[in-house]
Amino acid sequence: MGWVAQTPGSAGTLWLRDQSKVGIPNVAVNDREIAHGVLKRLAYIEQESEEKLALRIRHHLMDVAFLRAAKDYRITDTIPFEAAATVIGSTRKLLRASGTTAWREQSEIGGNYTRRGDQVLKSARMDHTLEGSFVIPVLIPLTEPTERAVPEPRSENLELFTSAPEPFERRVTRTLAQAILAVREIIVQPERSPTMRDLHDVVQRGVSREFCTALANILAEPAVGEFETRFEWAEAVPVAATMPQSVAIESDAQEKITQAAERLKRGRIDTRSTFSGDIVELRHVSGDPFGYIVVSTIRRGRRSEIRIRLPFDQYLEAVAWHRAQRVVIIEGEVTLGSGRRLAVETPISCRPIDEILLPVE
């Protein structure tokens, strides 16, 4: 929101933004009347309703996925109990599968769910359902981003940009969004059946057999004509404008998604030469025909940073991706570079992961 806290005093803290001031008494947390007074003043300054501002404050460090099951003539203010149970249970499976493939992309999880992913699932909350078909808000709390230490420059002509890596919880929510979008764009929309290359592309974006099965189970419910997921991203952790805001899949897609799940079970897809993550560092020395980006990712069950060498024109594209908060996906051989740092010297491809490349007919 752009507010800056001043040094706390014995009675509270003064927050400033431009010419505006808001005092937060120390008792505001436990006194509803004082808290409401602070909210009312903030709403006046922000020119926003108190209700909307309260949600912005509450969700400041939370990603929210709004899951909507709809069918015009079957679902209005209520939903069949069995269908509701399927939607909630399968949504849990979607989030759990995303928690594992955010840690390690794989075509079939087979019960080998990651502990880190399950921790995100356990921390998630379900809010009250909203009016309008059947809408369930799922809240995913994020860890506060930590500032990245800026390395000492080794050259006067060095251009250097750095940023904090995304919290793992955001990686899980992002994987959920990208996986649903990839299923719709690569598996559902084309008229033909997906090729093995298509399946490789969706697995790279976090799709697994378990994810497809859970999604197909929701769409198979007679009371569900369409399943939509809408995302509101936490303000505390900026997200690229190109990230999905809403993805809807109609129930007619259920058979295609089920078939894709079966093929993911039968065919092993190797993703060892592919990884994705956010750019946390860019460096270029004036006159050098190459630039370097550092990507924060998960590799072999641990957080890793991998340096990628890019031709200067592609490096300039990466600078723009970094400024736009776009996550990248890289394909190439990872080796030990100078200083025993993981590196990709000649990447096969490097592009934003939100670029869904439609299959060639």
Side-chain angles (χ1 to χ4, degrees):
M1 291 184 181
W3 292 90
V4 178
Q6 305 304 295
T7 303
S10 58
T13 304
L14 184 66
W15 290 72
L16 305 178
R17 190 185 69 180
D18 300 328
Q19 303 301 315
S20 301
K21 300 178 182 179
V22 175
I24 311 293
N26 290 335
V27 296
V29 175
N30 300 316
D31 191 310
R32 293 176 63 89
E33 186 174 342
I34 292 178
H36 183 262
V38 172
L39 178 66
K40 187 173 183 178
R41 175 164 174 76
L42 273 173
Y44 173 77
I45 296 171
E46 295 281 341
Q47 293 293 291
E48 193 168 25
S49 70
E50 293 178 29
E51 182 181 12
K52 287 186 177 180
L53 183 60
L55 284 176
R56 282 181 61 195
I57 294 172
R58 182 189 182 202
H59 298 158
H60 183 63
L61 199 57
M62 285 186 181
D63 285 337
V64 186
F66 295 91
L67 311 168
R68 183 178 71 92
K71 190 166 188 177
D72 291 343
Y73 66 90
R74 291 293 300 272
I75 301 177
T76 51
D77 293 332
T78 63
I79 185 174
F81 183 73
E82 288 294 330
T86 297
V87 171
I88 294 173
S90 295
T91 295
R92 178 185 180 277
K93 293 176 182 178
L94 287 174
L95 185 57
R96 191 183 191 198
S98 298
T100 289
T101 56
W103 189 257
R104 181 178 62 251
E105 296 95 345
Q106 51 194 308
S107 57
E108 183 177 28
I109 298 171
N112 297 316
Y113 291 93
T114 61
R115 185 177 62 178
R116 283 294 306 274
D118 281 353
Q119 287 173 347
V120 175
L121 177 66
K122 289 179 181 179
S123 71
R125 309 286 295 179
M126 175 179 159
D127 209 344
H128 294 287
T129 57
L130 305 180
E131 290 186 19
S133 299
F134 181 69
V135 183
I136 305 172
V138 177
L139 316 178
I140 298 98
L142 308 184
T143 303
E144 188 82 41
T146 55
E147 290 299 322
R148 180 178 176 84
V150 180
E152 288 291 330
R154 297 183 180 180
S155 169
E156 293 182 2
N157 299 321
L158 177 67
E159 179 186 59
L160 180 66
F161 302 96
T162 64
S163 63
E166 67 178 351
F168 179 68
E169 300 90 349
R170 163 58 60 76
R171 186 177 175 95
V172 172
T173 317
R174 175 173 59 75
T175 298
L176 173 64
Q178 289 169 178
I180 293 178
L181 182 62
V183 168
R184 188 188 71 181
E185 299 291 322
I186 299 178
I187 293 177
V188 174
Q189 289 191 342
E191 293 184 3
R192 62 172 174 77
S193 298
T195 64
M196 287 306 295
R197 178 63 199 181
D198 298 335
L199 294 179
H200 185 274
D201 287 343
V202 298
V203 170
Q204 287 179 342
R205 288 166 172 82
V207 177
S208 62
R209 178 186 69 82
E210 288 78 2
F211 187 94
C212 287
T213 299
L215 184 56
N217 286 342
I218 295 174
L219 298 174
E221 274 294 325
V224 177
E226 179 185 75
F227 181 66
E228 178 189 30
T229 307
R230 180 169 60 86
F231 296 91
E232 288 187 1
W233 306 97
E235 289 188 27
V237 183
V239 68
T242 49
M243 281 298 295
Q245 301 299 317
S246 177
V247 183
I249 299 179
E250 295 185 356
S251 60
D252 293 346
Q254 181 261 328
E255 185 176 350
K256 264 193 167 184
I257 297 172
T258 299
Q259 291 173 352
E262 292 172 354
R263 294 186 64 190
L264 287 171
K265 182 177 182 179
R266 293 198 305 267
R268 179 178 173 82
I269 295 176
D270 188 0
T271 60
R272 286 176 297 180
S273 63
T274 306
F275 59 92
S276 66
D278 51 324
I279 300 172
V280 295
E281 187 177 310
L282 303 104
R283 58 173 61 224
H284 175 255
V285 177
S286 299
D288 193 330
F290 293 93
Y292 297 85
I293 69 173
V294 176
V295 172
S296 175
T297 188
I298 309 292
R299 178 175 168 81
R300 295 179 179 174
R302 61 185 298 178
R303 274 278 189 183
S304 302
E305 292 189 353
I306 302 177
R307 188 179 67 178
I308 298 95
R309 187 181 72 156
L310 297 172
F312 184 66
D313 57 345
Q314 194 172 8
Y315 168 79
L316 291 179
E317 289 185 285
V319 172
W321 300 337
H322 176 258
R323 288 172 177 164
Q325 310 286 339
R326 298 177 76 180
V327 172
V328 294
I329 182 167
I330 294 98
E331 184 176 359
E333 182 183 1
V334 179
T335 61
L336 278 178
S338 60
R340 298 191 61 78
R341 294 187 62 179
L342 295 175
V344 177
E345 292 296 323
T346 310
I348 298 171
S349 67
C350 175
R351 65 182 188 272
I353 198 171
D354 53 61
E355 287 185 358
I356 296 292
L357 303 179
L358 295 178
V360 178
E361 298 295 339

